[in-house]
Amino acid sequence: MMSPFTIAIDGPAAAGKGTISKAVAAHFDLAHLDTGLLYRAVGARMLQGEDPIAAAQTLAAGDLENPDLRTADVAQAASKVAVIPEVRASLLDFQRAFARRSGGAVLDGRDIGTVICPQAEVKLFVTASPEVRATRRLAELSDNGFKTDFETVLADVKARDDRDMNRADAPLRPAEDAVIIDTSDLDVEAAIAAAVAAVDARRRA
Ligand code: CDP
């Protein structure tokens, strides 16, 4: 594949972006960055009492190794720090540099196709109904030993969607030229196949 080649994958909480992004990156032999981890790492440091802007400015590789990044509390904190323009600005250069690395890259997040990489060669917007997304997130949390219930997870997902879609800076929305993939009725294999097919179609175009 020609380099650099950027694939932007955006969508709401627990839509399956992570699984699809990893599989697409492996299929096309590209590096992958889960940009949500950057916001989660800043959120985790805020929960430890740090100022989120200072945390974003001093974010280090080790912050991404924090085993607590996948918890529900950190997810909510991430979407709170993500509304702060200075936090987003601090994380911008790292994401853009990653996107243009030689060999190409897949980035997944909320604003990759709209703000971080508006020139991305391929943009996907992966979505699913809130109920399907909450069901998947509940299974994921349970697998990882977190005790919670469907109503709590659904409320968390909706609260985060609301914050992500309605913030002033880089709100969650599909880029105009994004391919929308609704995974509500797709299993993992079918969702990956749809994403790979969409990338192939764009590359041929
Ligand atoms: O995995 P999940 O979809 O639940 O969330 P995530 O991708 O890890 O993102 C966590 C939070 O970070 C989101 O709810 C957003 O508020 C924020 N985020 C963002 O604002 N911009 C991005 N590019 C990625 C994440």
Side-chain angles (χ1 to χ4, degrees):
M1 181 175 289
M2 298 269 293
S3 63
F5 185 90
T6 307
I7 301 177
I9 303 186
D10 292 304
K17 294 185 308 291
T19 304
I20 288 175
S21 301
K22 279 191 207 95
V24 166
H27 183 91
F28 293 103
D29 196 21
L30 304 169
H32 170 230
L33 177 65
D34 170 0
T35 66
L37 274 188
L38 304 174
Y39 295 90
R40 285 172 180 262
V42 174
R45 280 174 58 175
M46 180 182 75
L47 291 177
Q48 285 157 11
E50 231 183 300
D51 171 59
I53 297 174
Q57 285 164 349
T58 58
L59 205 66
D63 287 313
L64 304 181
E65 315 283 313
N66 180 342
D68 295 335
L69 295 185
R70 292 289 170 201
T71 64
D73 286 350
V74 170
Q76 290 299 329
S79 75
K80 289 177 186 163
V81 303
V83 308
I84 305 170
E86 291 87 347
V87 167
R88 306 199 72 84
S90 291
L91 303 178
L92 190 89
D93 288 346
F94 175 77
Q95 294 176 81
R96 287 206 175 135
F98 192 98
R100 303 318 285 176
R101 62 166 47 201
S102 64
V106 178
L107 283 79
D108 77 88
R110 300 290 185 287
D111 62 339
I112 308 304
T114 51
V115 173
I116 304 294
C117 306
Q119 312 298 334
E121 281 75 9
V122 183
K123 299 175 190 173
L124 306 181
F125 192 85
V126 178
T127 188
S129 72
E131 289 73 19
V132 165
R133 292 187 284 121
T135 302
R136 290 179 188 157
R137 182 51 46 95
L138 178 63
E140 194 182 315
L141 289 168
S142 304
D143 284 350
N144 290 314
F146 298 108
K147 286 219 184 333
T148 181
D149 59 79
F150 179 78
E151 290 307 327
T152 304
V153 176
L154 181 62
D156 276 1
V157 160
K158 286 183 172 171
R160 210 139 57 85
D161 285 355
D162 187 55
R163 224 179 277 126
D164 290 348
M165 292 188 295
N166 294 309
R167 66 187 176 215
D169 192 13
L172 168 66
R173 60 176 176 77
E176 271 177 25
D177 52 348
V179 178
I180 313 274
I181 300 178
D182 187 329
T183 68
S184 299
D185 299 317
L186 302 180
D187 63 17
V188 172
E189 283 71 32
I192 291 170
V196 167
V199 174
D200 276 332
R202 282 293 159 103
R203 285 169 73 211
R204 278 195 302 270

